[in-house]
Amino acid sequence: MRKLMSNRLAVPAFLALLVVGLAFVMPSNFYFRVAALVWISALAVIGLNLLMGFAGQVSLGHAGFFGLGAYSVAILPAQFGLHPVIALIAGGAGCALLAFVVGRPILRLKGHYLAVATLGFGILVSMVISNEAWLTGGPDGMPVPRLALFGWRARGADTWYWITGGLMVIGALLAVNLVASPTGRALRALHDSEVAARVVGVDVGCYKLIVFVISAVYASVAGSALALVNGFITPDAAGFLHSIQLVTMVVLGGMGSILGSVVGAAVLVVLPQALTVFHDYEHLMLGFMMMAFMILLRSGIVPSLSMLIGGRRA
Amino acid sequence: MARFWNKIGRVAVTSVAVLALGAAAHAADTIKIGSSLSMTGPASFLGDPEGKTLEMYVEDINANGGVNGKQLELVIYDDAADANSARTFATRLVEDDGVIAVVGGSTTGATMAMVPVFEDAGIPFISLAGAVVIIDPVKEFVFKTPHTDRMACEKIFEDMQKNGISKIGMISGTGGFGKSMRGQCMDVAGNYGIEILADETYGPKDADMTPQLTKIKGTDGIQAVVNPGFGQGPAIVTRNYRQLGIDVPLYQSHGVASKSFIDLAGEAAEGVRLPAAALLVADKLPDDDPQKPVVTGYKTKYEETTGEPVSTFGGHAYDGLMILVEAMKRAGSEDPAAIRDEIEKTQGFIGTGGTVNMSAEDHLGLDLSAFKMLEIKDGDWTIVN
């Protein structure tokens, strides 16, 4: 059991089983849609977790990248006739470049200053998207052309369940490989102590930048996926509240845990749907449950639980 | 440790209970209609009166025997003006709740995100949002009740034409509302032989519009000024306008059609003209106006039940629900396609927004008579003919 847990393919394999297994118990398209939203959020959260949980840097502007990815599959096909898949890749590449350019000066900052700088970046992106109405449709949003591959049109929540589930498993696979690589070790070193990492020869600035770029690409791809699933996109996707939501998912699920990212995303996407029965008290309940999670499972749902189970067995 | 597991157990039990409640069975033999509104969040000024109106009138209809002998069941969700959650709730209404029709969508963004779901499922959807894109081009299952900003422009230009005005200046807010209306006004100005000589804008947080207005004042031949905008911007424009002593007429949009505009602009508001729905001047309508009983009835009921002043937004929800109920009565069945056909055949329906005559090409069905041209006199609205 322990050996299995420590295998680095265990988490992606488990997630793949989860995606396949859940598909058999879904009663309706509504559940497929909610699950697809969980996979999409999970993808963005895995990326952000690499930055927050492994490299120890905070970003309060990740919805900016998410929004850019989303709008790239809306704008590029509409304005230049690009295929949505190419637009998705172009969006990811564009975000990587932007993260590289923006990240170089920003990542020199630490702690609160870094948080505020990324916050500013996120707000800037969402302002541009809401104001350039000729390109983005402004606050009312714009339609996204449906995805068609070799004459086959992707529509219906169950189709998107498989596509987004696949993307999420691939994302998790890449993430665990990155964490297990020398880059991952360097990242964890600089999370624990930047000074110590520098002493043992880790190029701190360079690694921070690498992981910032990677997490921006995750967010961008997730944004593109959401835009394609919905067929319509509004500037909310790039908004400040969405950035906060992503950070909350990371912390709730557990920093530095890939599985935790998926759990955090699942909790925050599914809970509001489950709580609609409470009508007026919905937000109160949501807040209460999040507080309960954070008080009882202090280092996030997955790490706390695995510590408990592991601790009992040892 | 044991204490900890105890706690975990309690949390788990609560969560399971919550989930189970969510899946609780629904009563049979009712007609289910759905709604997703922005009852909280930045657009709650739209969604809140809409939600209250729907609940109030569904209760009323049920107390009076329901529709076709069955009780109505209203399933209502709060999307907080987020397009993504609106989309999820739309899927939920169709797939999980099994509603046969939907009245909702407070904002254009939320509405447009929901449209594909209802189109695919073939469920009639009456939107409560403003923009013209919702019904133009016409979508088979999508209708809407609020008048568009294009119609507000047309109403203003019609009034100008009557008064022999042909050269105007425009000063628009750059928020979603002002921007959209500015575009529509530009688009239709030509049809009324109106020439826009000056076109200025201001940001949503600007506190002084004197520079833009000075420029307009200095433009030769301007006979009137239009100010498409929302919130406090138009009140500042109105004050600056009087301070600069500009003596040509000032037209505001339906976006400021509330008492708070008069309060904010004070004496400067004297003589300002604007198009607005009849609901705003319910008690001033002539007795022979066909809308009079509807708007006074709605206003009285809303104000008595909620204790809040009536707003035109709640009126849109009233219109949407009543159009749907009439259509269900005519169709005599619960088949969504049959109800859709009957909604499209709505003729001579008198609601708070005006007289609705829908057709296969027009899923809004309002004409310019839906707007009344108002002028502010002695700190109150008066109807101009």
Side-chain angles (χ1 to χ4, degrees), chain A residues 145-217:
Chain A
R146 282 209 163 127
L147 178 68
L149 275 177
F150 314 112
W152 170 77
R153 279 156 66 87
R155 58 186 298 174
D158 44 347
T159 316
W160 280 109
Y161 172 88
W162 292 110
I163 298 175
T164 54
L167 278 174
M168 191 269 297
V169 171
I170 295 171
L173 190 66
L174 293 176
V176 290
N177 273 313
L178 179 81
V179 171
S181 72
T183 311
R185 277 200 297 281
L187 289 177
R188 265 171 293 162
L190 77 92
H191 181 200
D192 293 339
S193 161
E194 280 190 26
V195 178
R198 193 169 287 142
V199 168
V200 295
V202 174
D203 184 345
V204 173
C206 174
Y207 278 111
K208 276 189 192 172
L209 193 58
I210 288 175
V211 75
F212 189 63
V213 168
I214 291 173
S215 71
V217 174

Side-chain angles (χ1 to χ4, degrees), chain B residues 82-331:
Chain B
D82 177 54
N84 190 36
S85 39
R87 173 73 170 236
T88 307
F89 285 130
T91 316
R92 184 165 179 174
L93 287 171
V94 171
E95 299 280 343
D96 221 41
D97 298 316
V99 299
I100 56 152
V102 175
V103 180
S106 305
T107 65
T108 302
T111 295
M112 293 306 285
M114 291 194 280
V115 160
V117 178
F118 299 129
E119 281 285 296
D120 284 354
I123 300 284
F125 172 36
I126 302 179
S127 166
L128 311 178
V132 72
V133 291
I134 297 166
I135 45 134
D136 182 25
V138 173
K139 298 163 193 73
E140 197 183 352
F141 283 89
V142 183
F143 304 85
K144 82 184 206 89
T145 55
H147 29 242
T148 64
D149 40 15
R150 192 182 187 89
M151 292 165 66
C153 294
E154 288 171 340
K155 187 76 185 179
I156 292 173
F157 292 155
E158 198 185 67
D159 191 63
M160 287 179 170
Q161 230 177 5
K162 266 190 232 160
N163 292 305
I165 295 169
S166 62
K167 293 185 169 64
I168 63 159
M170 266 213 311
I171 173 162
S172 328
T174 51
F177 180 91
K179 200 183 280 176
S180 161
M181 184 166 164
R182 173 180 167 271
Q184 297 296 337
C185 283
M186 297 253 180
D187 220 35
V188 296
N191 304 350
Y192 292 83
I194 295 215
E195 217 181 319
I196 298 166
L197 297 181
D199 177 27
E200 298 292 323
T201 58
Y202 59 86
K205 292 194 181 75
D206 290 2
D208 182 50
M209 284 64 152
T210 322
Q212 292 96 319
L213 287 170
T214 310
K215 212 169 155 195
I216 291 177
K217 191 185 179 187
T219 312
D220 278 341
I222 282 187
Q223 296 166 306
V225 177
V226 184
N227 177 205
F230 193 79
Q232 57 177 347
I236 301 171
V237 167
T238 309
R239 279 170 174 275
N240 291 162
Y241 199 82
R242 299 299 175 215
Q243 283 158 5
L244 288 173
I246 306 178
D247 50 9
V248 295
L250 174 62
Y251 285 85
Q252 289 289 353
S253 71
H254 55 308
V256 298
S258 72
K259 258 297 186 276
S260 64
F261 170 73
I262 301 184
D263 295 341
L264 279 172
E267 280 181 14
E270 283 301 299
V272 168
R273 288 191 169 197
L274 70 158
L279 190 53
L280 195 67
V281 283
D283 38 0
K284 296 203 179 62
L285 288 176
D287 285 329
D288 59 344
D289 192 305
Q291 266 190 284
K292 177 123 185 169
V294 177
V295 289
T296 45
Y298 173 69
K299 187 178 150 97
T300 319
K301 185 168 169 64
Y302 186 88
E303 289 181 348
E304 269 173 14
T305 314
T306 63
E308 292 162 16
V310 74
S311 83
T312 50
F313 313 119
H316 300 324
Y318 169 85
D319 294 354
L321 181 67
M322 291 307 163
I323 289 174
L324 174 64
V325 167
E326 302 272 305
M328 290 197 307
K329 282 181 183 159
R330 286 197 302 270

Side-chain angles (χ1 to χ4, degrees), chain A residues 98-269:
Chain A
L98 189 66
F100 181 76
V101 174
V102 174
R104 275 175 74 95
I106 280 188
L107 290 170
R108 287 176 187 274
L109 304 171
K110 278 186 192 140
H112 299 315
Y113 300 101
L114 175 69
V116 170
T118 53
L119 175 71
F121 166 78
I123 290 177
L124 214 62
V125 171
S126 93
M127 273 175 66
V128 170
I129 289 175
S130 338
N131 283 316
E132 299 305 312
W134 60 276
L135 190 65
T136 63
D140 286 343
M142 72 182 292
V144 181
R146 282 209 163 127
L147 178 68
L149 275 177
F150 314 112
W152 170 77
R153 279 156 66 87
R155 58 186 298 174
D158 44 347
T159 316
W160 280 109
Y161 172 88
W162 292 110
I163 298 175
T164 54
L167 278 174
M168 191 269 297
V169 171
I170 295 171
L173 190 66
L174 293 176
V176 290
N177 273 313
L178 179 81
V179 171
S181 72
T183 311
R185 277 200 297 281
L187 289 177
R188 265 171 293 162
L190 77 92
H191 181 200
D192 293 339
S193 161
E194 280 190 26
V195 178
R198 193 169 287 142
V199 168
V200 295
V202 174
D203 184 345
V204 173
C206 174
Y207 278 111
K208 276 189 192 172
L209 193 58
I210 288 175
V211 75
F212 189 63
V213 168
I214 291 173
S215 71
V217 174
Y218 269 86
S220 165
V221 172
S224 299
L226 180 74
L228 288 169
V229 170
N230 279 351
F232 192 83
I233 189 76
T234 59
D236 308 326
F240 171 62
L241 281 177
H242 191 217
S243 288
I244 297 298
Q245 204 180 19
L246 292 175
V247 172
T248 314
M249 286 173 180
V250 172
V251 177
L252 197 64
M255 299 228 277
S257 163
I258 302 296
L259 192 59
S261 307
V262 182
V263 173
V267 169
L268 278 197
V269 173

